[in-house]
Amino acid sequence: MASTVETGTDSVALVAVYRRILTWLGIGTALGACVELAMLRHWHDAGQLVPWAVLAVLLAAAAAWLVRRSVATARIMQGTAIVAVLGSAFGVYEHIGANLAAGPLSGRYSAVWDSMSAVSQLWAAATGSVGASPVLAPGMVGLAGVLLWLAAFRWVPVRQVPQESH
């Protein structure tokens, strides 16, 4: 019968695999967000360039983490990941705001917009029923940030133990 008891070495190896998976998922999500931004032609004014800058810095930090794992690259990646999550939250806020502003101009809602409750207006704006700004698109940036932050969570360099000479 095979043993199901996990050894410390198995745990360390498994955590390293999970860190690699989280790193590559974060990079893939960030690259997917770049593709989404490009398909939406999200570059017409300075405000639309912000997610591009956040993603560029996040991807650079992830690349540094892949090339050389150190306490510095781990902290840099986690710091940029936090910025990405905060930027993502701001993007969701901005997109909902843009959709709310479009409410009175909407063919579907223009006649009833002013009589709708604030909650109903917010729901319509957040779900994409009104306005052209995709609310979940900025969330991809935040997801990439969370995945990359988790990849470096509690990471410490492996200490080399001097071998005993026989």
Side-chain angles (χ1 to χ4, degrees):
M1 179 184 257
S3 173
T4 58
V5 176
E6 189 175 280
T7 66
T9 306
D10 291 340
S11 295
V12 170
L14 188 58
V15 168
V17 169
Y18 286 153
R19 286 188 194 285
R20 274 193 299 280
I21 290 170
L22 287 168
T23 301
W24 285 108
L25 284 172
I27 289 170
T29 303
L31 291 172
C34 289
V35 169
E36 176 77 7
L37 288 171
M39 290 189 320
L40 294 172
R41 299 188 186 325
H42 203 275
W43 54 64
H44 296 295
D45 60 45
Q48 288 189 333
L49 296 176
V50 171
W52 288 101
V54 170
L55 286 164
V57 172
L58 187 63
L59 286 167
W65 167 252
L66 283 175
V67 171
R68 183 170 185 269
R69 297 241 167 126
S70 68
V71 173
T73 58
R75 298 307 164 251
I76 289 168
M77 187 170 74
Q78 286 186 308
T80 58
I82 290 168
V83 170
V85 170
L86 294 174
S88 173
F90 181 72
V92 169
Y93 171 80
E94 284 288 304
H95 282 209
I96 290 174
N99 289 345
L100 279 170
L105 307 173
S106 167
R108 181 176 174 191
Y109 288 101
S110 62
V112 295
W113 187 258
D114 291 333
S115 65
M116 291 172 64
S117 70
V119 172
S120 295
Q121 290 178 352
L122 183 61
W123 181 256
T127 60
S129 295
V130 66
S133 298
V135 177
L136 292 182
M140 287 181 68
V141 178
L143 177 60
V146 168
L147 291 168
L148 291 170
W149 186 87
L150 286 172
F153 179 67
R154 289 189 162 181
W155 180 85
V156 292
V158 177
R159 292 182 176 87
Q160 299 207 352
V161 180
Q163 293 182 348
E164 296 178 19
S165 51
H166 296 289

